[in-house]
Amino acid sequence: MGSKLFKSLLMVLVAFFMVSTHAIGGEVEVLHWWTSGGEAKSVAVLKDLLEKQGHTWKDFAVAGGGGDAAMTVLKSRAVAGNPPTAAQVKGPQIQLWGDEGVLANLDDVARAEKWDALLPKVVADVMKYEGSYVAVPVNVHRINWMWANPEVFRKAGAELPTTWEQFEVAAQKIQKAGFIPVAWGGQPWQEATVFEIIVAAMGGSDFYRKALVEADPEALKSPTMVKALVTMKMIKAYTDKGAPGRDWNLATAMVIKGEAAMQFMGDWAKGEFTAAGKKPGRDYIAMPAPGTSGQFLFNVDSFIMFKQKDAGAQKAQKAMAGLILQPEFQTVFNVNKGSIPVRLGMPRASFDDPALRSMNAFSASAASGDLVPSMAHEMAVFPAVRGAIMDVVTNYYNSDISAQAAASKLASEVEAAK
Ligand code: GAL
């Protein structure tokens, strides 16, 4: 065979190969805010599995825990008519995106994969718009955790607290011993996270639902709310000067390094301990935040998919949706992330003790009426109401206004935002 002929044959083959890989694989551009050590490790699992199927993952990470920055970027991309293929969006907000008419229908994937049978009904309902799946859930995070460094507690001669009174006693001892009692991340969503934990502790689950799910003005300005606000402010004396603006994972690092004794944060914090090679029970203690042992404030991450014209992108986004509820992904991702699988009936063998306790607490709290949606993490109310609550709480925590005045303001601002 002449070398010219061979070369052109080769070129035809290369061209054919390029066309055919393009035909199997498509590209998904995925907007998310998983940028900390543990989070990045977790999201990489999805990227790798998708790429193994021949698709391309275009990463669109917007840093900022809690996702507020990511949501702002997403809105501007959507307004410009150029949304990504998939985006990390959760809770009631999914309905707002559904109203815009921009979401892809995932019913064929859901039917093939039997999502209705694999998901708790409360979760499945949130993923549907007008009866059709438009989002796919990834995990279940528990918010009301306390992460503690046992070495710091030991050195300070302090006991791990299970009530807020005990917390104060322990915090004083820890401070006297020269440690920072609480690693505090001074960002509105983190302050809202601690706030809702305390509301659950002070008022119980029914009060929590009245105040932070139904946004009932009477509950928002009640004496119980005042007590919760006072307790939240009490913690401030046990935080350090570096708290304002601090990212949550840097606060977790303070506990990991033994500079601080504890952090109140959802179990994505466990992802940081895991990524640092730390073992629960030995290097750190994970226990329910004071006063909330029977409660489970839940936070379910999910991805919405935007309508696509390109056939490859449609294929890739359906492949991504299909992967998320597969047992392999549910295990590896959640082990890294600190959350528990959202898929029912998953084998438990790969999970550590805090995850197993979280699984047990999830079902026990569902039975006792203590499974409540997180307000701070977009599970409970629409963004406008969440924004109003967070503004009042952060202003209160960072100023000298009284708890009584803040509670009245909560009621009036929330009413105005409804
Ligand atoms: C939450 C999200 C978690 C975690 C956290 C900190 O809102 O649900 O998955 O990433 O923010 O970034």
Side-chain angles (χ1 to χ4, degrees):
M1 203 188 312
S3 86
K4 242 186 173 171
L5 181 62
F6 179 74
K7 263 192 197 151
S8 38
L9 253 179
L10 199 68
M11 276 167 72
V12 169
L13 273 176
V14 167
F16 175 75
F17 181 72
M18 282 169 71
V19 168
S20 62
T21 34
H22 187 72
I24 352 171
E27 182 183 271
V28 275
E29 186 188 18
V30 186
L31 179 141
H32 62 90
W33 63 88
W34 288 331
T35 56
S36 78
E39 289 175 327
K41 234 176 132 184
S42 313
V43 76
V45 175
L46 189 54
K47 176 175 187 269
D48 291 349
L49 287 172
L50 200 64
E51 288 186 342
K52 271 198 195 129
Q53 294 192 0
H55 300 292
T56 318
W57 174 287
K58 189 170 168 199
D59 204 47
F60 183 13
V62 180
D68 292 311
M71 290 306 97
T72 307
V73 173
L74 178 61
K75 273 179 216 140
S76 60
R77 280 276 304 258
V79 167
N82 178 31
T85 328
Q88 193 189 343
V89 168
K90 342 184 255 185
Q93 268 189 93
I94 295 170
Q95 301 305 311
L96 300 181
W97 286 101
D99 290 344
E100 297 297 318
V102 290
L103 299 185
N105 185 315
L106 303 173
D107 279 345
D108 48 350
V109 188
R111 233 172 287 121
E113 303 283 337
K114 304 195 170 53
W115 287 1
D116 276 341
L118 296 180
L119 294 173
K121 190 175 179 306
V122 275
V123 176
D125 288 346
V126 177
M127 303 300 139
K128 291 178 183 173
Y129 179 73
E130 292 179 344
S132 285
Y133 277 100
V134 291
V136 48
V138 182
N139 59 1
V140 180
H141 273 302
R142 187 185 193 185
I143 303 294
N144 50 310
W145 284 105
M146 181 178 99
W147 308 94
N149 185 313
E151 194 59 16
V152 175
F153 271 86
R154 202 186 47 77
K155 286 183 185 154
E159 302 276 333
L160 292 160
T162 58
T163 66
W164 287 100
E165 290 78 21
Q166 289 175 8
F167 162 84
E168 248 191 300
V169 176
Q172 279 164 15
K173 285 190 181 161
I174 293 161
Q175 205 162 45
K176 274 207 193 93
F179 299 98
I180 301 161
V182 178
W184 190 269
Q187 295 173 349
W189 73 272
Q190 293 187 66
E191 288 170 355
T193 300
V194 180
F195 165 74
E196 70 180 14
I197 290 173
I198 297 175
V199 169
M202 295 290 133
S205 303
D206 287 340
F207 176 78
Y208 178 98
R209 264 187 291 266
K210 270 243 153 313
L212 300 185
V213 183
E214 292 160 28
D216 172 65
E218 292 310 315
L220 288 169
K221 59 181 180 209
S222 66
T224 308
M225 183 57 75
V226 174
K227 203 171 145 207
L229 288 163
V230 169
T231 305
M232 182 194 182
K233 196 69 158 275
M234 174 270 290
I235 304 176
K236 199 169 185 177
Y238 304 111
T239 62
D240 68 324
K241 288 208 167 59
R246 177 185 285 136
D247 288 328
W248 68 271
N249 53 317
L250 300 182
T252 311
M254 291 165 68
V255 179
I256 294 177
K257 285 189 257 169
E259 294 165 13
M262 44 192 150
Q263 180 186 21
F264 302 104
M265 187 50 61
D267 42 20
W268 47 91
K270 197 184 82 184
E272 299 306 293
F273 286 98
T274 307
K278 304 292 180 194
K279 293 271 172 281
R282 185 189 74 186
D283 307 314
Y284 69 97
I285 305 290
M287 55 193 269
T292 68
S293 66
Q295 291 165 310
F296 195 118
L297 275 60
F298 72 88
N299 170 23
V300 174
D301 284 305
S302 51
F303 285 98
I304 56 172
M305 306 278 167
F306 287 91
K307 281 182 187 158
Q308 298 298 313
K309 289 204 185 85
D310 178 68
Q314 285 173 8
K315 245 178 145 179
Q317 96 186 144
K318 295 214 163 137
M320 176 177 162
L323 262 175
I324 288 176
L325 287 170
Q326 294 297 323
E328 183 192 2
F329 173 76
Q330 285 287 306
T331 301
V332 187
F333 175 86
N334 286 305
V335 162
N336 286 321
K337 187 76 169 67
S339 39
I340 57 172
V342 68
R343 178 180 167 133
L344 296 168
M346 284 280 298
R348 294 183 165 209
S350 312
F351 290 91
D352 62 11
D353 178 61
L356 296 176
R357 284 189 285 130
S358 186
M359 291 174 193
N360 293 339
F362 187 71
S363 29
S365 64
S368 65
D370 290 307
L371 180 64
V372 292
S374 162
M375 177 280 299
H377 295 276
E378 313 266 15
M379 295 287 112
V381 287
F382 283 115
V385 170
R386 170 182 177 262
I389 297 176
M390 294 211 317
D391 281 355
V392 175
V393 168
T394 286
N395 283 336
Y396 161 73
Y397 183 79
N398 293 294
S399 74
D400 288 331
I401 68 168
S402 72
Q404 184 67 60
S408 313
K409 211 158 175 234
L410 261 181
S412 59
E413 297 288 308
V414 165
E415 275 307 280
K418 271 181 182 169

